Amino acid sequence: MILQLKRLFERIGDRQDLDCIIPLEELREYSGCKSIITPISLKGRIQNRAGMVSLDYSCKLTVRHLCDRCLDEFDREYRLEFEHILVKDESSVEDENAFLCPGGSLDLNELAVSDFLAEMPTKVLCREDCKGLCPVCGKNLNLGCCDCGADTIGKE
Ligand SMILES: [Zn+2]
Ligand SMILES: [Zn+2]
């Protein structure tokens, strides 16, 4: 989704509300987003304050993760909030929080995807106290003890 913000960039005091959904099909174009299983719903506001254009938004989505310890699949809903300064040309991208909008057009998908990817943990657990797999028989110990006896080792 591309937003034309040319006028907003020019008019101090202007603002625009955002309330949109990025469909799954559009997310499929980005590698790294394969794990997203719901559309991204996004609400926010873009404002031109004294010539400085800022965007803040929150988004909601569900991700299918693979637990790093027990290798089980699980879904987790995220609500994330972000803030950016929007700039029209590259020379003004000093702030790492700045997002480039060439000619005043904002690629909202690109922005939401890069924010999402930056926010995702590299390792996830299905739950904090996930017991993982038995190192001997491979059974998922969240589902109960295994019979191989390995789970009693080291518990004394
Ligand atoms: Zn787990
Ligand atoms: Zn076992």
Side-chain angles (χ1 to χ4, degrees):
M1 187 176 312
I2 308 282
L3 294 178
Q4 290 304 336
L5 300 174
K6 218 173 160 187
R7 276 175 55 185
L8 195 142
F9 268 104
E10 281 158 10
R11 298 206 305 210
I12 289 170
D14 229 10
R15 64 200 226 184
Q16 185 174 328
D17 287 329
L18 284 180
D19 188 350
C20 58
I21 303 258
I22 303 175
L24 269 179
E25 307 85 78
E26 292 181 25
L27 294 169
R28 290 289 169 262
E29 293 168 22
Y30 298 90
S31 63
C33 291
K34 308 269 183 275
S35 58
I36 301 176
I37 55 166
T38 55
I40 297 181
S41 85
L42 190 155
K43 280 188 191 354
R45 176 180 290 172
I46 306 169
Q47 342 185 40
N48 183 336
R49 273 180 291 200
M52 169 92 89
V53 177
S54 64
L55 158 69
D56 46 279
Y57 74 96
S58 61
C59 63
K60 203 177 83 174
L61 71 161
T62 302
V63 178
R64 178 152 298 165
H65 288 297
L66 206 58
C67 176
D68 212 58
R69 210 176 272 165
C70 70
L71 308 178
D72 221 6
E73 271 188 353
F74 65 99
D75 298 341
R76 184 167 288 167
E77 186 181 281
Y78 289 88
R79 283 166 190 274
L80 305 169
E81 294 188 11
F82 301 100
E83 257 184 65
H84 291 282
I85 300 295
L86 302 181
V87 294
K88 271 195 299 188
D89 60 278
E90 216 142 348
S91 59
S92 42
V93 188
E94 317 136 336
D95 195 324
E96 59 166 41
N97 222 11
F99 191 79
L100 183 64
C101 303
S105 61
L106 167 64
D107 186 336
L108 206 55
N109 292 8
E110 185 86 41
L111 177 80
V113 165
S114 70
D115 280 346
F116 160 76
L117 291 175
E119 198 72 12
M120 278 304 99
T122 46
K123 293 195 169 193
V124 279
L125 297 180
C126 61
R127 55 189 220 212
E128 225 166 288
D129 62 344
C130 171
K131 296 186 178 72
L133 302 176
C134 169
V136 176
C137 70
K139 179 174 172 173
N140 184 341
L141 298 175
N142 295 316
L143 305 174
C145 293
C146 63
D147 302 325
C148 79
D151 61 331
T152 54
I153 296 169
K155 276 196 180 163
E156 281 335 287

